[in-house]
Amino acid sequence: MLQLRKDYTHFNLPCLALTVFALALLATAGSLQKAEAQNHSSARATVTNSAAQARGEDDPLFSEYKGVRIGMTADEARKKLGDPQDKSDEQDFYVFNEKESAQVFYDKAHKTYAISINYLGAGSETPAPKGVLGSEIEAKPDGSLYKMVRYRKAGYWVSYSRTAGTDPLTTVTIQRID
């Protein structure tokens, strides 16, 4: 009979929780991407902003993280970011400090197709929406924030998400448009 191990001390639960949250965010963003494709004209007006339009779709503000860009090979990304805490052919997970972590996702050709950065808590290291998307985001009644901007000519989208509360989790994601 199969016995389950009950000693969970080998897991880093905060990192696991951040990983699950980031994957859920990517799945949600993927669902939004499909929904937007079905209603292209109204969705495009919703997810773009005047600052992004003024810059043009080929000139997004947020195009890399610590030198890692969409389309880089896994080896190139690892040279920029160092040794990941968890490494596989599909994704790498990095913990830079107790407040900043990142995941880099790879396609079958081992090229970067998404980067998701998590900032835990409020602080000077957490980027402001304007620095990522080019404009401020109107907070929801609970104080949370979310906005995604598609840069079709550049070939990717960028999202900014912040949970509500005094110790928010902010996630900035960049992902290739397929």
Side-chain angles (χ1 to χ4, degrees):
M1 181 179 336
L2 178 67
Q3 291 186 354
L4 297 175
R5 183 175 175 171
K6 293 186 179 185
D7 175 16
Y8 298 107
T9 58
H10 64 285
F11 286 108
N12 186 334
L13 292 179
C15 290
L16 182 60
L18 284 175
T19 300
V20 170
F21 178 78
L23 289 174
L25 182 63
L26 283 173
T28 301
S31 296
L32 288 172
Q33 184 177 12
K34 288 177 186 173
E36 288 172 23
Q38 293 173 353
N39 193 1
H40 176 71
S41 62
S42 65
R44 184 166 173 88
T46 301
V47 297
T48 59
N49 61 50
S50 59
Q53 290 171 342
R55 282 191 317 278
E57 289 185 342
D58 281 334
D59 193 21
L61 274 179
F62 187 79
S63 61
E64 67 178 52
Y65 174 69
K66 297 186 183 228
V68 177
R69 296 176 162 271
I70 299 298
M72 273 188 162
T73 66
D75 289 338
E76 292 170 326
R78 289 172 183 147
K79 282 180 185 173
K80 297 279 185 184
L81 296 175
D83 291 325
Q85 180 173 340
D86 189 20
K87 176 180 176 179
S88 75
D89 287 341
E90 292 83 29
Q91 77 175 33
D92 290 340
F93 182 71
Y94 294 88
V95 177
F96 299 105
N97 56 52
E98 62 186 23
K99 294 192 175 257
E100 184 176 348
S101 63
Q103 291 172 274
V104 181
F105 298 88
Y106 306 110
D107 61 18
K108 291 180 182 180
H110 303 288
K111 294 200 175 192
T112 303
Y113 77 85
I115 306 163
S116 183
I117 307 102
N118 297 306
Y119 301 92
L120 187 57
S124 62
E125 299 297 317
T126 303
K130 189 169 186 167
V132 174
L133 301 174
S135 66
E136 294 300 328
I137 302 172
E138 185 176 334
K140 295 179 181 176
D142 67 356
S144 64
L145 302 172
Y146 177 78
K147 186 164 188 171
M148 177 175 34
V149 177
R150 293 179 168 280
Y151 300 98
R152 293 188 188 284
K153 290 181 184 176
Y156 58 84
W157 55 260
V158 177
S159 69
Y160 188 99
S161 177
R162 187 185 75 199
T163 62
T166 58
D167 204 26
L169 173 64
T170 302
T171 302
V172 177
T173 304
I174 179 173
Q175 183 172 326
R176 179 179 66 213
I177 298 172
D178 290 325

